[in-house]
């Protein structure tokens, strides 16, 4: 279950580039409903890398956790300019926020 602190963790780490509002793309695609979605398929986002579009493995909670720990390891050649976070609790908070479907 997501807590208010999960929203602030998301805003702080991801909010410059992502919203959780359907269709609201920023520097990165909207993450509304991202869990279970095929990578590279957010409606109306035109700036995906070829590497992301070629990635066929749906986003699970575990895969998002691995991606934000080390983006280049999970999507080599991807263009997300986030260095990754080694903070397990912080990542868990963000993933729980995304899983909650907000
Ligand atoms: C500096 C901007 C930036 C930051 C900060 C950022 N992202 Fe991203 N994100 C992007 C871009 C750009 C892409 C598309 C990358 C590509 O196509 O290779 C992306 C893609 C993604 C995707 C794949 C979405 C899809 O539709 O397949 C996920 C999941 C994601 N980001 C999660 C996060 C999370 C969670 C955070 C915070 C921990 C975060 N990002 C921080 C810019 C950012």
């Amino acid at each position: 279950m997501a807590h208010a602190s999960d929203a602030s963790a998301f805003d702080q780490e991801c909010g410059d580039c992502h919203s959780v509002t359907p269709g609201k793309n920023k520097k990165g695609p909207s993450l509304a409903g991202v869990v279970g979605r095929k990578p590279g398929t957010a409606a109306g986002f035109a700036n995906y890398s070829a590497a992301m579009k070629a990635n066929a493995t749906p986003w699970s909670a575990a895969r998002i956790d691995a991606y934000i720990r080390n983006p280049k390891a999970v999507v080599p050649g991807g263009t997300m300019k986030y260095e990754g976070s080694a903070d397990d609790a912080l990542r868990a908070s963000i993933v729980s926020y995304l899983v909650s479907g907000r």
Side-chain angles (χ1 to χ4, degrees):
M1 184 167 165
H3 301 278
S5 59
D6 298 337
S8 69
F10 177 85
D11 287 346
Q12 201 174 315
E13 292 293 303
C14 323
D16 281 352
C17 302
H18 292 287
S19 86
V20 291
T21 303
K24 190 181 175 202
N25 301 312
K26 299 167 91 172
K27 271 178 263 174
S30 168
L31 297 181
V34 70
V35 179
R37 188 167 85 190
K38 186 187 173 298
T41 58
F45 185 71
N47 294 325
Y48 283 116
S49 62
M52 186 65 78
K53 287 191 283 191
N55 188 338
T57 310
W59 288 117
S60 61
R63 201 163 164 82
I64 294 172
D65 179 70
Y67 182 53
I68 62 177
R69 184 165 55 79
N70 186 348
K72 299 278 183 252
V74 173
V75 184
T79 49
M80 176 158 110
K81 290 190 175 58
Y82 179 70
E83 66 278 16
S85 172
D87 182 335
D88 295 347
L90 179 72
R91 293 195 321 276
S93 186
I94 291 168
V95 170
S96 133
Y97 181 67
L98 293 174
V99 166
S100 77
R102 304 278 315 283

